[in-house]
Amino acid sequence: MSPEPRVRERRGIPLRAVVPNAVTALALCVGLTGVRFAIAEEWDLAVAMIVLAAVLDGMDGRIARALKGQTRFGAELDSLSDVIAFGASPAIILHLWSLQNLPSWGWVFALAYAACMALRLARFNARIDVEDQPHKSAGFNTGVPAPAGAGLLLLPIIVWLASERQWTWLADYRIVAPWAAFVAFLAISSLATFSWGSLRLRRKVRLEAIVVIALLGGALVSVPWQTLTVCGIAYLAMIPFSVMSYARIKRQRASATPLAPATSPSPATASREKPRRSPPEMPLS
């Protein structure tokens, strides 16, 4: 009998694993390009690059799930991209815009934000919060996500652009430095924040939601800075509600948890117990 033909192994990396990683790398490059525009004092383009990087960051995961191309390499690349695009780049942009006017300490505030963002992403990779659920299972993030944190950090610049560069008081380092420290705290905090990916709409409001999203897209094109200002303030206002919602769900799950049944002693424990001595036998008469 002739031997069966060997199946030729397909070499190379499948395209479905390359596309999401390419989008992640593009987000990294776009976010870092924002620093280049900040050096040239083109602040609108610098902020726009961070916003575009956030859009790309939201797309790569969905593309990977749609193509079934999730890999450990992609997860690590995504974290490294987030550190640069939403950690280092916004910190440098804010430093060049305002914090450099604070002698010596301005760079410290920028470094604090970048370091806190790196710590946040390291905690996410290490899954430190596995024991503290229902953050993820109930539709919550732990702290402010990296793209939202970058948007909040750049909110003074966005409001300044929305005012057509008239509100120059927003560039005062006495306002910007405490704001950077506050956003850095939000990034590494254990506060529960809403996760947009887990939101579910009722069927009866789905058409209204489509109209709202379409109007929001039109507003971003027509008046981008004013729209981003409203979105940033609305996100901040939602944090107390997300914390209260998380606390309510946690109480409900705690009350629904049944009491643990009484367990019998293990064999090892039983063997260590001192056996009872039987009563002495009576002598026979």
Side-chain angles (χ1 to χ4, degrees), residues 8 14 18 20 84 98-99 149 161 189 211 218 272 274:
R8 186 176 181 181
V18 175
I84 296 175
S98 170
L99 292 178
L161 292 171
S189 69
V211 173
R272 290 195 300 266
K274 186 177 181 180

Side-chain angles (χ1 to χ4, degrees), residues 109 112-114 116-117 149 153 178-189:
F109 283 96
Y113 169 80
C116 288
M117 189 59 66
L153 183 73
W179 177 255
F182 172 68
V183 177
F185 164 76
L186 291 179
I188 62 172
S189 69

Side-chain angles (χ1 to χ4, degrees), residues 21-262:
N21 293 335
V23 175
T24 303
L26 181 60
L28 185 154
C29 296
V30 170
L32 197 57
T33 304
V35 177
R36 180 257 183 189
F37 287 117
I39 294 174
E41 297 186 354
E42 299 180 22
W43 307 112
D44 50 350
L45 293 177
V47 177
M49 291 297 102
I50 303 299
V51 174
L52 180 57
V55 174
L56 293 172
D57 181 73
M59 291 173 55
D60 59 0
R62 288 167 175 79
I63 293 175
R65 287 189 292 270
L67 297 178
K68 297 181 180 180
Q70 303 101 315
T71 61
R72 182 64 181 174
F73 173 83
E76 296 295 337
L77 178 62
D78 184 72
S79 295
L80 292 174
S81 173
D82 289 351
V83 170
I84 296 175
F86 307 122
S89 295
I92 295 174
I93 292 172
L94 196 70
H95 179 264
L96 293 175
W97 183 67
S98 170
L99 292 178
Q100 65 177 346
N101 298 322
L102 178 60
S104 303
W105 287 97
W107 182 239
V108 173
F109 283 96
L111 282 178
Y113 169 80
C116 288
M117 189 59 66
L119 291 174
R120 169 188 171 75
L121 294 168
R123 180 180 66 179
F124 177 80
N125 285 350
R127 299 182 180 273
I128 291 180
D129 298 311
V130 169
E131 297 180 357
D132 189 19
Q133 293 296 330
H135 275 165
K136 185 176 180 180
S137 60
F140 293 92
N141 293 316
T142 303
V144 174
L152 291 178
L153 183 73
L154 299 179
L155 189 59
I157 305 180
I158 295 174
V159 177
W160 173 67
L161 292 171
S163 69
E164 297 181 356
R165 311 192 181 199
Q166 298 297 319
W167 294 354
T168 55
W169 55 270
L170 287 169
D172 190 342
Y173 61 82
R174 288 169 293 187
I175 297 176
V176 176
W179 177 255
F182 172 68
V183 177
F185 164 76
L186 291 179
I188 62 172
S189 69
S190 297
L191 297 175
T193 58
F194 289 121
S195 175
W196 301 108
S198 61
L199 293 180
R200 297 292 183 268
L201 296 176
R202 298 179 180 177
R203 293 182 178 272
K204 61 181 180 180
V205 297
R206 120 182 111 177
L207 294 180
E208 291 82 352
I210 294 175
V211 173
V212 171
I213 293 173
L215 292 176
L216 181 62
L220 283 172
V221 174
S222 302
V223 281
W225 309 122
Q226 290 82 353
T227 305
L228 290 175
T229 298
V230 173
C231 292
I233 295 174
Y235 183 81
L236 278 175
M238 289 175 61
I239 293 179
F241 295 98
S242 64
V243 172
M244 291 187 292
S245 178
Y246 169 77
R248 183 175 65 253
I249 293 176
K250 195 172 183 179
R251 288 194 301 268
Q252 292 174 354
R253 291 192 173 185
S255 61
T257 302
L259 296 177

Side-chain angles (χ1 to χ4, degrees), residues 258-266:
L259 296 177
T263 57
S264 59
S266 61

